């Protein structure tokens, strides 16, 4: 069956038109159809039909109308009961395909999808099909307030659809074809400004500008006489454009012949990025628009890449080549609003200020119209957000758009994403050489490699560093690298006269919220290695769930890297900037508290790992974690070992290392790569990093060695927190296990750790005993570095016991032994102690 409401109300069945009865019966049908699928209460139907003029017998009359409709519809549909009684109301059952109003809405949606896909011809055909459903005045002859209201709404929707279709006709350049239709429609409704505007535009394009201006005067007179108002800004602007013969009013087919080429020059020493350029410049076969978003951290080279790609693409897009700086992170300037950017873009296409549309929507529509048939290439540089970019996108099939942004524009639909990382080492070195000169760089390849590594392979940092060297012919590359090694002054060294790394990072930092800024700077406590949300939660004092959300938000704006799922890392220069902000903005008490939270987190997580691997082992004292610390827990030994291995490799691969003394004090962080093999083999910290834990354990001795290693790790962490009594208990238990398992290297390292703890506790006699025992083991092993370490410890203990002569003997012995090893730090301690003791003995006579 077919139910028609877009005109006189009519129902068609298999045998023709279904007799419905009088106007009020049709009013009941209309009320049911426009609420189809719903139960319509009888009282609501009465109100829809009679309104305030309800007769006493309204309900009984309504029931008779419904009965009449039910019989008529059932007779036309082979007995199917279309209208059912539900409680105190009625419901009509129709499918969307049977009701012309539903078909009208569906066709409108289909046309909108075609417009979104820039398929204007399909959109026009579908809208014409929708308009043809109207068979006359809508709901004509149907009484009632409900029918009158719905008729007005549907008529207005039809008129708007007609205007949308006429607008598409104009975009397709069919102004000559639709001119008669426009004239008839405008005469019927001379006060509809959108209709008048389309007629004026069509007339102007057809060379009838005088008649177009007459249409404006007639519409204005009608509005003033009937409503007492002037035409809107859009119509007045169009009037001005016609008076000035604005080129923007010409058909887009005419506009396409006027090229605009406004790209700035590409970076002369652009280096690398071959794979990225290949992706950006791949031929898409004109199935656009192709929209690329290029994101990455500050200084990574997004604009340089976009410009190089744009110049490579320029030959395929000769009609329009344009770069618009959206000023998302320009110092002292607010980002461009879309309306401002559209004004710049339309101005580049020749639209005069006097003819510029007033609103953002009108400007965006004009921009899309003027670029629809152009082979256009547009670079939007430094976008602040997806909302800023969305109104600026062209819709033509032959358009390519490159958008650069420091944050990921994930909300921008239909785009291809390229996240830019720092340069590979070889490309970074080539860029450095291109700036300072190839001859100069080739003379010192090792120094060049070190300099670009210190710069984190970041193009901006490399450009600043190389630029300084280029202007200083007396410097060598090695001298530049030496200046850059000092972390405390590195960011200052990477600041140029016009731009620098610090200023770029400061802009990114200032765009974060207060919570994100504090969270970011607290991450400056971490090493140059990977970490997880639990670690970040401890550093910042928030719960892990919130920490993960903040970490992901920092990843989105490239203030943080994510090397793998759940693992995070600060770029080397971002870590230095975070440390700088931490010192500047966080009080000393807050920094110390953060360090303690981190140490507690590591200690308790390591203890949970120990209990997971050895659930039946003898418990050792460790109180509950303090407030603000959520240690990790593990369901299986494999899960626990994976965590420990990730943390171990993170420390081992760190370019910075950790302080070998108190973490709460700022001190030099020694890179693991510069620590000698003896340290990594014998010291309790180096032993922890030397190899993964042996698990599953093939034998009892290996199990005891593994258990002892974990207890030693916890002991070290307790010592870093100055919990010396607890640290000693963990080390004593580890010592028992190492001795039982015959692990002499671990035994000796643990004895040295116990000796150091005894010195911290003011027990030099116990310290002397531990170091003597360790010395015996190292003698048996033939380890010179270990013997030198124990000699130093014995000298310190004897000095505190008031036995300077013996202390001097062992300090000098330590110097002799360590002089032939890689224990330079221990050698310095022993030499300083020997000199001091010798001086005291001399002064004492």
């Amino acid at each position: 069956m077919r139910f028609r409401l877009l005109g006189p109300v009519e129902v068609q069945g298999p045998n023709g038109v279904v007799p419905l009865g009088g106007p009020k019966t049709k009013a009941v049908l209309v009320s049911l159809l426009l609420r189809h699928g719903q139960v319509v209460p009888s009282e609501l139907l009465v109100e829809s039909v009679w309104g305030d003029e309800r007769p006493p017998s309204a309900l009984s009359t309504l029931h008779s109308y419904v009965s009449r409709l039910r019989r008529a519809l059932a007779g036309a549909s082979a007995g199917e009961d279309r209208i059912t009684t539900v409680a105190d109301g009625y419901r009509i059952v129709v499918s969307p395909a049977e009701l012309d109003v539903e078909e009208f809405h569906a066709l409108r949606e289909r046309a909108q999808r075609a417009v979104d896909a820039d398929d204007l011809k399909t959109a026009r055909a579908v809208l014409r099909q929708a308009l043809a459903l109207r068979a006359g005045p809508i709901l004509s002859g149907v009484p009632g307030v409900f029918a009158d209201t719905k008729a007005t709404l549907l008529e207005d929707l039809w008129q708007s659809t007609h205007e949308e279709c006429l607008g598409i006709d104009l975009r397709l350049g069919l102004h000559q074809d639709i001119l008669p239709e426009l004239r008839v429609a405008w005469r019927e409704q001379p006060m509809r400004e959108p209709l008048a505007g389309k007629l004026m535009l069509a007339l102007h394009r057809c060379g009838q500008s005088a008649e177009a201006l007459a249409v404006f005067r007639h519409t204005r007179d009608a509005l003033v006489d009937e409503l007492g108002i002037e035409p809107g800004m859009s119509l007045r602007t169009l009037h001005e454009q016609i008076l000035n013969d604005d080129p923007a009013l010409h058909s887009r087919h005419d506009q396409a012949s006027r090229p605009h080429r406004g790209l700035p020059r590409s970076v002369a020493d652009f280096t690398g990025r071959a794979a990225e350029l290949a992706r950006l410049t791949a031929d898409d076969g004109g199935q656009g628009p192709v929209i690329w978003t290029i994101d990455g951290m500050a200084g990574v080279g997004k604009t340089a890449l976009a410009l190089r790609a744009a110049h490579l693409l320029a030959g395929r897009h000769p009609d329009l080549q344009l770069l618009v700086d959206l000023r998302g992170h320009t110092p002292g300037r607010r980002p461009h609003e879309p309306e401002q950017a559209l004004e710049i873009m339309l101005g580049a296409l020749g639209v005069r200020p006097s003819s510029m549309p007033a609103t953002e929507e009108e400007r965006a529509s004009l921009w899309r119209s003027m670029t629809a048939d152009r082979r256009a290439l547009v670079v939007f540089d430094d976008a602040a957000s997806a909302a800023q970019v969305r109104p600026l996108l062209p819709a033509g099939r032959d358009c390519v758009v490159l958008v650069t942004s420091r944050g990921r524009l994930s909300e921008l639909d239909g785009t291809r994403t390229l996240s830019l990382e720092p340069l590979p080492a070889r490309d970074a070195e080539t860029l450095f050489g291109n700036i300072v000169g190839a001859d100069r760089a080739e003379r010192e390849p090792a120094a060049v490699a070190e300099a670009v590594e210190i710069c984190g392979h970041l193009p901006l940092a490399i450009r600043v560093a190389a630029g300084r060297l280029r202007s200083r012919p007396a410097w060598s590359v090695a001298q530049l690298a030496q200046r850059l090694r000092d972390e405390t002054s590195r960011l200052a060294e990477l600041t140029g006269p016009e731009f620098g790394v610090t200023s770029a990072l400061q802009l990114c930092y200032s765009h974060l919220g207060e919570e994100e800024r504090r969270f970011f700077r607290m991450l400056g406590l971490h090493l140059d290695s990977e970490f997880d949300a639990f670690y970040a939660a401890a550093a910042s004092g928030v719960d892990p769930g919130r920490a993960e959300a903040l970490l992901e938000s920092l990843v989105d704006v490239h203030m943080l890297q994510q090397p793998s799922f759940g693992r995070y890392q600060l770029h080397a220069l971002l870590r230095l900037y975070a440390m700088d902000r931490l010192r500047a903005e966080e009080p000393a008490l807050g920094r110390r508290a953060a360090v303690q939270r981190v140490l507690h987190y590591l200690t308790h997580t390591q203890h949970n790992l120990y209990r997971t691997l050895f659930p039946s082992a003898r418990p050792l004292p460790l109180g509950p974690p303090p407030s603000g610390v959520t240690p990790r827990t593990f369901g299986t030994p494999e899960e626990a070992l994976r965590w420990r291995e990730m943390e171990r490799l993170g420390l081992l691969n760190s370019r910075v290392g950790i302080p070998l003394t108190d973490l709460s004090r700022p001190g030099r962080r020694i890179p693991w790569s510069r620590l000698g093999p003896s340290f990594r083999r014998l010291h309790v910290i180096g032993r922890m990093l030397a190899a993964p834990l042996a698990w599953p354990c093939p034998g009892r001795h290996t199990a005891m060695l593994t258990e002892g290693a974990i207890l030693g790790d916890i002991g070290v962490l307790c010592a870093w927190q100055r919990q010396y009594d607890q640290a000693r208990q963990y080390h004593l238990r580890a010592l028992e296990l190492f001795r039982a398992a015959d692990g002499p290297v671990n035994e000796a390292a643990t004895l040295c750790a116990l000796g150091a703890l005894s010195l911290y506790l003011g027990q030099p006699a116990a310290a002397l005993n531990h170091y003597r025992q360790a010395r015996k083991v190292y003698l048996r092993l033939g380890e010179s570095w270990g013997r030198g370490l124990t000699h130093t410890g014995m000298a310190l203990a004897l000095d505190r016991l008031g036995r300077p002569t013996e202390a001097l003997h062992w300090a000098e012995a330590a110097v002799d032994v360590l002089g032939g090893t890689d224990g330079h730090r221990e050698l310095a301690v022993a030499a300083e102690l020997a000199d001091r003791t010798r001086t005291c003995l001399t002064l004492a006579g």
Side-chain angles (χ1 to χ4, degrees):
M1 297 183 71
R2 186 73 172 159
F3 296 85
R4 299 186 182 279
L5 303 184
L6 297 175
V9 175
E10 182 180 87
V11 179
Q12 287 187 335
N15 301 318
V17 177
V18 177
L20 298 176
K24 286 188 168 54
T25 307
K26 292 180 180 179
V28 173
L29 179 61
V30 167
S31 186
L32 289 170
L33 285 172
L34 291 178
R35 300 182 180 107
H36 70 90
Q38 306 176 33
V39 176
V40 186
S42 299
E43 287 294 333
L44 188 56
L45 287 170
V46 168
E47 183 179 347
S48 299
V49 175
W50 285 282
D52 295 334
E53 300 177 359
R54 167 180 179 157
S57 60
L59 274 176
S60 60
T61 305
L62 171 68
H63 297 325
S64 67
Y65 290 159
V66 172
S67 297
R68 186 182 306 163
L69 286 171
R70 182 181 283 139
R71 288 194 301 273
L73 297 179
S77 56
E80 180 183 359
D81 194 358
R82 292 286 188 143
I83 301 176
T84 58
T85 304
V86 181
D88 188 22
Y90 300 97
R91 178 171 56 200
I92 191 167
V93 178
V94 295
S95 69
E98 293 178 313
L99 184 59
D100 62 350
V101 172
E102 293 293 338
E103 183 182 0
F104 183 79
H105 288 305
L107 289 169
R108 275 178 53 85
E109 292 175 4
R110 181 181 160 196
Q112 185 58 53
R113 289 194 297 271
V115 170
D116 293 340
D118 199 36
D119 187 358
L120 297 184
K121 291 182 179 179
T122 298
R124 178 180 184 272
V126 173
L127 286 178
R128 288 291 174 185
Q129 185 181 347
L131 293 170
L133 292 173
R134 183 174 181 267
I138 295 175
L139 299 180
S140 60
V142 178
V145 175
F146 178 80
D148 289 345
T149 303
K150 289 297 183 180
T152 301
L153 293 174
L154 289 170
E155 283 282 1
D156 191 62
L157 182 62
W158 190 91
Q159 292 292 344
S160 298
T161 305
H162 189 206
E163 290 166 7
E164 290 172 20
C165 185
L166 292 170
I168 291 174
D169 290 334
L170 288 171
R171 290 175 64 182
L172 289 170
L174 302 176
H175 38 272
Q176 187 74 46
D177 299 338
I178 64 170
L179 195 53
E181 181 182 357
L182 274 168
R183 282 195 171 108
V184 171
W186 175 70
R187 289 191 186 108
E188 290 177 355
Q189 300 199 54
M191 290 190 293
R192 284 190 76 94
E193 293 186 49
L195 202 56
K198 289 173 175 58
L199 176 58
M200 290 166 62
L201 182 57
L203 288 165
H204 176 67
R205 287 181 177 177
C206 291
Q208 302 178 45
S209 300
E211 188 177 348
L213 296 173
V215 169
F216 175 81
R217 290 194 297 273
H218 189 91
T219 300
R220 179 185 179 278
D221 291 344
L223 288 169
V224 171
D225 293 343
E226 296 291 330
L227 303 176
I229 59 173
E230 291 285 341
M233 179 60 72
S234 178
L235 199 63
R236 297 202 306 272
T237 301
L238 178 60
H239 178 248
E240 289 293 326
Q241 288 177 294
I242 292 173
L243 284 172
N244 297 322
D245 192 21
D246 193 327
L249 296 183
H250 295 172
S251 169
R252 65 184 185 179
H253 303 283
D254 298 332
Q255 291 286 343
S257 63
R258 304 177 183 181
H260 176 87
R261 296 165 187 168
L263 288 177
R265 70 180 182 89
S266 180
V267 178
D269 51 20
F270 183 87
T271 303
R273 306 295 193 196
E276 291 88 344
L277 285 171
R279 291 181 63 192
L280 293 172
T281 59
D283 190 351
D284 196 70
Q287 297 303 308
V290 175
I291 304 168
W292 278 98
T293 60
I294 306 170
D295 56 70
M297 69 176 288
V300 80
K302 301 178 292 296
T303 302
L305 175 65
L307 266 179
R308 176 53 60 96
H311 280 279
L312 293 174
L313 288 165
R316 296 184 223 160
H317 302 274
D319 301 334
L320 174 62
Q321 300 159 14
L322 183 65
L323 181 140
V324 182
D325 182 3
L326 298 180
R327 301 193 324 201
H329 298 83
T330 302
R333 308 287 294 276
R334 292 178 58 83
H336 274 312
E337 295 295 333
E339 184 177 335
Q340 296 171 289
L342 285 164
E343 182 176 357
I344 294 170
M345 293 148 57
L346 291 172
L349 292 181
V351 179
R352 301 170 186 172
S354 60
S355 303
M356 191 68 63
T359 67
E360 176 188 317
E361 291 77 12
E362 291 169 331
R363 291 179 181 183
S365 177
L366 180 58
W367 164 251
R368 289 191 294 270
S369 175
M370 294 181 72
T371 56
D373 282 345
R374 285 179 180 258
R375 292 166 293 175
L377 169 65
V378 187
V379 179
F380 295 118
D381 189 38
D382 194 18
S385 65
Q388 183 190 32
V389 175
R390 194 174 291 112
L392 313 181
L393 298 177
R397 289 183 178 274
D398 289 323
C399 293
V400 171
V401 179
L402 306 177
V403 185
T404 72
S405 174
R406 293 188 184 178
R408 291 194 172 101
L409 304 181
S410 55
E411 297 175 3
L412 203 59
D413 296 332
T415 61
R416 307 174 187 185
T417 300
L418 178 63
S419 292
L420 213 54
E421 299 294 335
L423 289 169
R426 185 181 297 275
D427 289 343
E429 293 165 17
T430 303
L431 175 61
F432 188 95
N434 289 342
I435 297 172
V436 303
D439 293 342
R440 196 173 180 185
E442 288 170 1
R443 288 196 297 268
E444 300 178 82
V448 170
E450 182 185 5
V452 299
E453 183 179 1
I454 291 172
C455 291
H457 296 171
L458 190 70
L460 173 60
I462 294 171
R463 287 186 179 280
V464 175
R468 292 193 71 191
L469 187 63
R470 182 177 56 190
S471 63
R472 290 165 173 79
W475 286 15
S476 67
V477 182
Q479 288 167 332
L480 172 69
Q482 183 180 7
R483 293 175 68 91
L484 292 174
R485 284 187 200 126
D486 187 356
E487 288 190 350
T488 59
S489 61
R490 185 176 302 165
L491 291 178
E493 291 287 339
L494 294 175
T495 298
E498 295 184 2
F499 60 94
V501 174
T502 302
S503 58
L505 299 182
Q506 172 61 35
L507 284 170
C508 298
Y509 182 72
S510 65
H511 279 72
L512 300 176
E514 176 53 40
E515 184 184 17
E516 289 176 310
R517 287 199 296 271
R518 180 182 179 276
F519 185 80
F520 168 76
R521 60 180 179 259
M522 297 309 290
L523 296 179
L525 290 168
H526 194 69
L527 318 178
D528 185 16
S529 58
E530 297 177 16
F531 54 90
D532 60 15
F534 284 84
Y535 179 98
S540 57
V542 302
D543 68 83
R546 183 58 186 157
E548 183 177 23
L550 290 167
L551 287 167
E552 290 296 327
S553 71
L554 291 175
V555 168
D556 284 340
V557 294
H558 292 281
M559 294 290 280
L560 196 62
Q561 297 170 326
Q562 191 171 36
S564 60
F565 180 77
R567 304 289 293 176
Y568 305 90
Q569 186 174 17
L570 283 166
H571 183 274
L573 298 179
L574 275 168
R575 182 183 59 79
L576 293 182
Y577 183 74
M579 291 171 60
D580 179 69
R581 292 297 86 211
L582 184 67
R583 287 190 293 266
E585 299 182 37
E586 200 70 26
L589 188 62
R591 298 198 300 270
R592 285 196 294 270
V595 170
Q596 288 302 309
R597 284 195 303 270
V598 169
L599 291 173
H600 279 296
Y601 159 72
L602 292 171
T603 305
H604 283 271
T605 300
Q606 192 86 326
H607 190 267
N608 290 342
L609 178 148
Y610 171 65
R611 299 303 299 169
T612 302
L613 297 185
F614 302 98
S616 60
R618 188 174 74 200
L620 288 168
L622 189 68
S627 175
V629 175
T630 305
R632 291 195 66 139
T633 57
F634 309 102
T636 63
E638 291 75 19
E639 182 185 348
L641 288 167
R642 278 197 302 271
W643 173 84
R644 200 263 191 184
E645 183 64 5
M646 284 191 294
E647 295 300 321
R648 183 186 75 84
L649 290 176
L651 288 174
L652 192 61
N653 294 328
S654 169
R655 294 194 185 96
V656 179
I658 58 174
L660 301 182
T661 55
D662 188 353
L663 277 182
S664 66
R665 299 176 182 175
R668 185 184 177 200
R669 297 186 175 189
I670 305 172
W672 291 112
S673 59
R674 296 185 192 170
L675 295 173
S678 297
F679 175 89
R680 295 196 294 269
R681 185 173 66 254
L682 301 176
H683 194 281
V684 67
I685 303 173
R687 189 195 65 235
M688 176 182 73
L689 298 172
L693 293 175
W695 194 272
C697 298
R700 180 171 176 272
H701 283 192
T702 308
M704 287 192 291
L705 289 173
T706 298
E707 184 178 356
I710 298 173
L711 290 170
D713 294 349
I714 301 174
V716 170
L717 290 166
C718 287
W720 283 348
Q721 296 169 71
R722 297 196 180 95
Q723 297 174 344
Y724 300 126
D725 284 327
Q726 288 185 357
R728 180 167 60 180
Q729 293 187 57
Y730 281 101
H731 281 305
L732 285 171
R733 175 57 182 153
L735 183 62
E736 292 177 19
L737 293 164
F738 292 144
R739 283 174 171 169
D742 191 20
V745 173
N746 293 322
E747 177 188 352
T750 305
L751 284 166
C752 287
L754 286 166
L757 286 170
S758 298
L759 287 175
Y760 282 128
L761 290 167
Q763 300 169 354
L768 182 61
N769 181 48
H770 289 310
Y771 281 121
R772 280 174 172 165
Q773 294 180 59
R775 178 175 176 273
K776 290 178 182 179
V777 179
Y778 282 130
L779 281 170
R780 190 167 71 249
L781 293 171
E783 286 286 355
S784 298
W785 182 85
R787 282 192 297 116
L789 182 64
T790 59
H791 292 172
T792 304
M794 291 168 63
L796 288 168
L798 289 164
D799 180 62
R800 296 185 187 181
L801 286 168
R803 296 155 64 178
T805 303
E806 294 175 84
L808 177 60
H809 167 76
W810 289 111
E812 290 176 338
V815 172
D816 291 340
V817 174
L818 291 170
T821 71
D822 56 10
H824 306 301
R825 183 173 178 273
E826 291 73 21
L827 175 62
V829 173
E832 191 275 333
L833 175 61
D835 289 343
R836 178 169 55 81
T837 307
R838 195 180 294 114
T839 301
C840 291
L841 287 172
T842 301
L843 291 174

